[in-house]
Amino acid sequence: MGTVFLNGFGLTIGLIMAIGAQNAHVLRQGLRGEHVLLTVAISSLCDISLILLGMAGLGQLFSANPDWMDIARYGGAAFLGWYGLRALRSALAGGSMQIDRGERNRLSRRQALLAAAGFSLLNPHAYLDTVVLLGSIGSQQAEALRPTFTAGAIAGSICWFLLLGYGARLLVPLFAKPRAWQVLDGAVALMLWGLAASLILSA
């Protein structure tokens, strides 16, 4: 049973640890010290919801309805493109941890909640990783072991986002330099636009 838990834990970590739109957003909020708990909590809750839906068999339903994936694909591309533009504007403006570009550029709690939910739910890759892939692997477990596998997957998701959001503080000295923020924001913009383009071209 312990092995099944670790399998779920390790598989989830492996699926979500690659640098992607959601991870980049959580990392950036952690570096800014801006609504970190809210961002981590929403990201984790959305991920957990997708894991549970996958374990409940929703992955097969998605596979049987490609129109749903098309809606998610184009909606996700628009969302990522818009946030890519925000990141580019931040890169061009410059700034550092000591230079509070202020309250004018800070997200409100509502904006932070919507952003975290958007990066978690408006990305078809998240559905492919959690609902389809993780759900299909979990469904192959013996019925009595599926709750243990699911618990491991949920634990992996929570641990990852906590580490990403709060571990980012260790990088704060590096991001005291304006150039580091510009490089990060520029890289995030390119990554988000690349993801948006890949979603559209994969249609």
Side-chain angles (χ1 to χ4, degrees):
M1 187 169 290
T3 301
V4 173
F5 180 92
L6 291 176
N7 286 343
F9 185 96
L11 180 60
T12 299
I13 293 291
L15 288 174
I16 66 175
M17 72 183 301
I19 294 299
Q22 184 187 42
N23 285 343
H25 177 68
V26 175
L27 177 63
R28 194 173 190 281
Q29 292 300 101
L31 286 168
R32 290 169 62 90
E34 183 180 54
H35 303 299
V36 180
L37 179 59
L38 177 64
T39 299
V40 168
I42 295 300
S43 298
S44 298
L45 287 173
C46 289
D47 215 46
I48 290 169
S49 298
L50 294 178
I51 290 171
L52 293 175
L53 289 173
M55 294 301 296
L58 189 64
Q60 297 176 355
L61 191 58
F62 259 85
S63 299
N65 292 274
D67 288 344
W68 291 9
M69 288 304 297
D70 285 340
I71 293 173
R73 178 180 295 114
Y74 291 113
F79 177 81
L80 294 175
W82 181 71
Y83 257 88
L85 181 60
R86 277 183 61 108
L88 179 63
R89 290 176 61 186
S90 294
L92 295 176
S96 69
M97 294 300 292
Q98 276 76 38
I99 303 174
D100 186 4
R101 288 174 296 164
E103 298 302 326
R104 65 183 181 183
N105 282 336
R106 291 178 65 86
L107 298 176
S108 66
R109 287 183 61 85
R110 180 174 180 274
Q111 289 173 326
L113 187 154
L114 292 175
F119 278 112
S120 301
L121 300 176
L122 295 180
N123 183 1
H125 293 300
Y127 292 88
L128 292 175
D129 286 346
T130 53
V131 177
V132 178
L133 183 56
L134 193 63
S136 64
I137 294 175
S139 66
Q140 296 174 19
Q141 307 294 319
E143 187 171 353
L145 296 177
R146 288 178 191 173
T148 303
F149 181 89
T150 304
I154 290 173
S157 176
I158 293 172
C159 288
W160 173 254
F161 287 118
L162 284 172
L163 177 64
L164 193 62
Y166 288 99
R169 294 178 179 180
L170 298 175
L171 299 176
V172 166
L174 172 64
F175 285 88
K177 303 175 182 178
R179 178 63 64 184
W181 270 112
Q182 289 181 297
V183 170
L184 176 65
D185 285 330
V188 168
L190 291 175
M191 181 193 65
L192 295 182
W193 286 339
L195 289 172
S198 70
L199 289 176
I200 294 173
L201 293 175
S202 66

